[in-house]
Amino acid sequence: MISLNFARGQFNSEEGLVDDDEAISRELLAVEQKRRAEKAKLSAVQDKVRRDVELRMQKRLYRETAKRLEDQQFIRERVLMLAENTPALLDLMFAPSASSKRVEELSQGLDWLHVGVVKIVNMPPFLDPNDPKRTKINNYRGALNFIGAEDIKVIAPALTMQNWLPPAEPPFTLLRRKLWQHVMATAVVCQRLAELNGKLDPAIAFNTGMFHEMGKVTLARLYLRVFEDVRQKMFEELRSEKTSTRYNALMHVEPDQQFLRDMMLKQERVVTKLLFEGFEMRHLPLAQIYADYAKAKTFEDTSGYSRLLWQANTFSEFRMLHAANLASLDDGKRMFAATRLNGKTIVELRKLNLKKLILTRNRESE
């Protein structure tokens, strides 16, 4: 017995007709293809509108960022939210008349510094686990006296930079960690290069390396603030348009890591210079060092501390890139040759632990 469907199929074939199921499938396929084509066309239009809106927004971001950077008081107080006494404290540590009492007085309100210093003084190398008579120090004054005038010039800047770094929050969750790794490594290398140089102050060199990325910190914090301000203003403007196309496109525009990176590469050194010029330090010459660094177009344009910074920055960048398999040893040789880092110096720098502060107490315990 032949089935009804089979018989219908045979009849349709003989008569040149198409099977009902096949006809329906073809019709549905045609409808689906048309729907996809229309969706792709709409998506292409929406992507173009979004790109146009994003480009328009980026132009505004550049202008607004430049405008905000002209007001360094706004940057210090509203963007970085720095305590006024912090730069003054860093400067005081290099004054000939500096004392632990004056340092303590100028540290009032800096709870993060108090906690950090007390924590460090109760850890090696200040705490000898083999010394049962060593009691725990629980107050800031006692910690300052125990650390000493030289090591505080290294410890306080490191704690300050940790406090100034942007939080590890979306959309730039890795920025804080990467910046800290780089400034810490650069500061340690700067300090060692100054020791090898014999004519420059290692503590000033350490500070030079520690704070040289403050331009990036400033731009990262400012970018997120300006982004929200500019987008909100654009929303207000687009509400009056007849269609909601551009308004909807703006809703999908998010902070752009590539945009921030490009802005950092173009402006970070100048922003660092402007920030430290506003601090008006008298004893710690970071403003002049960063001005020289910002002005230099090539390594040959540098001298003194700015030259050490260029070399240290190159060495620490290579170490980070090499660790991530993004630079070869040959790349390193070329980078070092361009900054006049000779073999003897490189051997000394390779001995460093780039995650550990160089302290006088470390050397006393060795």
Side-chain angles (χ1 to χ4, degrees):
M1 178 71 68
I2 298 175
S3 70
L4 178 60
N5 286 338
F6 178 80
R8 182 183 291 121
Q10 289 293 312
F11 175 78
N12 288 339
S13 297
E14 293 172 1
E15 297 297 324
L17 301 176
V18 179
D19 183 84
D20 289 346
D21 291 341
E22 184 179 350
I24 293 172
S25 296
R26 289 184 180 180
E27 183 177 352
L28 290 175
L29 179 60
V31 171
E32 177 64 18
Q33 288 176 337
K34 183 179 180 181
R35 186 186 69 80
R36 289 181 179 180
E38 291 176 348
K39 184 178 180 181
K41 184 178 179 180
L42 178 61
S43 178
V45 172
Q46 290 174 339
D47 286 344
K48 183 178 183 304
V49 172
R50 185 185 61 79
R51 287 194 297 270
D52 290 343
V53 170
E54 190 171 28
L55 181 60
R56 180 184 174 189
M57 184 175 182
Q58 287 179 353
K59 290 179 179 178
R60 287 195 176 191
L61 284 171
Y62 269 119
R63 291 196 300 268
E64 188 63 25
T65 299
K67 181 180 177 182
R68 300 282 181 92
L69 286 172
E70 292 176 358
D71 186 353
Q72 283 298 304
Q73 184 177 354
F74 172 83
I75 295 297
R76 293 192 299 270
E77 297 177 0
R78 303 291 297 280
V79 177
L80 298 174
M81 294 177 286
L82 305 182
E84 290 184 7
N85 52 331
T86 308
L89 176 63
L90 294 172
D91 192 41
L92 172 68
M93 293 177 183
F94 289 85
S97 59
S99 64
S100 59
K101 180 180 180 181
R102 181 65 183 131
V103 169
E104 182 184 3
E105 291 173 349
L106 205 51
S107 303
Q108 293 301 313
L110 305 179
D111 295 343
W112 50 268
L113 181 62
H114 290 213
V115 172
V117 169
V118 171
K119 180 179 179 181
I120 288 174
V121 83
N122 287 294
M123 297 170 60
F126 297 102
L127 176 64
D128 183 356
N130 298 318
D131 182 5
K133 297 182 179 180
R134 165 69 154 83
T135 59
K136 185 176 181 180
I137 298 175
N138 295 312
N139 62 83
Y140 182 60
R141 178 182 296 178
L144 284 177
N145 290 330
F146 196 85
I147 287 174
E150 290 305 311
D151 283 343
I152 197 62
K153 293 178 183 178
V154 170
I155 292 172
L159 293 174
T160 299
M161 188 62 189
Q162 286 186 329
N163 179 256
W164 286 356
L165 285 171
E169 296 176 352
F172 309 124
T173 53
L174 296 178
L175 184 61
R176 178 184 175 88
R177 179 165 63 87
K178 292 296 183 182
L179 282 175
W180 173 248
Q181 288 177 348
H182 182 58
V183 298
M184 179 63 178
T186 303
V188 169
V189 174
C190 269
Q191 186 177 1
R192 184 63 182 131
L193 286 174
E195 291 176 345
L196 295 172
N197 176 278
K199 298 178 182 179
L200 300 174
D201 186 328
I204 292 178
F206 178 87
N207 278 259
T208 299
M210 181 56 64
F211 296 114
H212 83 284
E213 294 279 46
M214 278 305 296
K216 286 183 178 178
V217 173
T218 302
L219 288 169
R221 287 180 177 270
L222 180 60
Y223 172 67
L224 293 178
R225 184 186 185 98
V226 171
F227 181 92
E228 291 302 326
D229 292 345
V230 169
R231 185 164 69 164
Q232 186 59 40
K233 189 172 183 179
M234 289 182 67
F235 274 135
E236 294 172 1
E237 294 172 357
L238 295 176
R239 286 194 187 101
S240 61
E241 293 191 350
K242 293 182 179 180
T243 65
S244 60
T245 306
R246 293 205 297 173
Y247 186 95
N248 292 338
L250 184 58
M251 293 181 66
H252 295 285
V253 176
E254 298 292 338
D256 185 354
Q257 294 189 46
Q258 185 64 45
F259 178 84
L260 177 59
R261 178 181 177 276
D262 292 344
M263 189 163 60
M264 285 178 172
L265 290 174
K266 292 177 181 178
Q267 302 184 43
E268 59 169 310
R269 293 189 185 183
V270 173
V271 175
T272 301
K273 174 187 79 78
L274 291 174
L275 180 66
F276 279 85
E277 283 177 348
F279 290 159
E280 298 181 347
M281 293 177 168
R282 295 185 298 164
H283 308 288
L284 181 58
L286 294 182
Q288 185 59 55
I289 295 170
Y290 293 141
D292 294 341
Y293 191 57
K295 184 179 178 181
K297 301 299 181 184
T298 67
F299 174 73
E300 299 304 326
D301 297 331
T302 62
S303 62
Y305 291 105
S306 64
R307 174 159 290 209
L308 291 192
L309 176 56
W310 197 301
Q311 291 176 321
N313 187 51
T314 298
F315 186 84
S316 60
E317 277 189 353
F318 169 72
R319 287 285 293 268
M320 291 181 70
L321 290 171
H322 184 63
N325 295 318
L326 296 175
S328 66
L329 293 177
D330 287 337
D331 293 328
K333 291 178 181 178
R334 287 190 291 270
M335 293 169 70
F336 299 154
T339 54
R340 297 191 183 183
L341 282 171
N342 58 44
K344 183 178 179 180
T345 301
I346 292 170
V347 169
E348 289 297 320
L349 296 182
R350 283 176 176 167
K351 297 177 183 178
L352 295 173
N353 182 342
L354 301 185
K355 299 180 180 179
K356 185 178 180 181
L357 298 176
I358 301 175
L359 304 171
T360 57
R361 188 60 63 97
N362 274 335
R363 291 168 173 173
E364 290 172 3
S365 62
E366 290 176 354

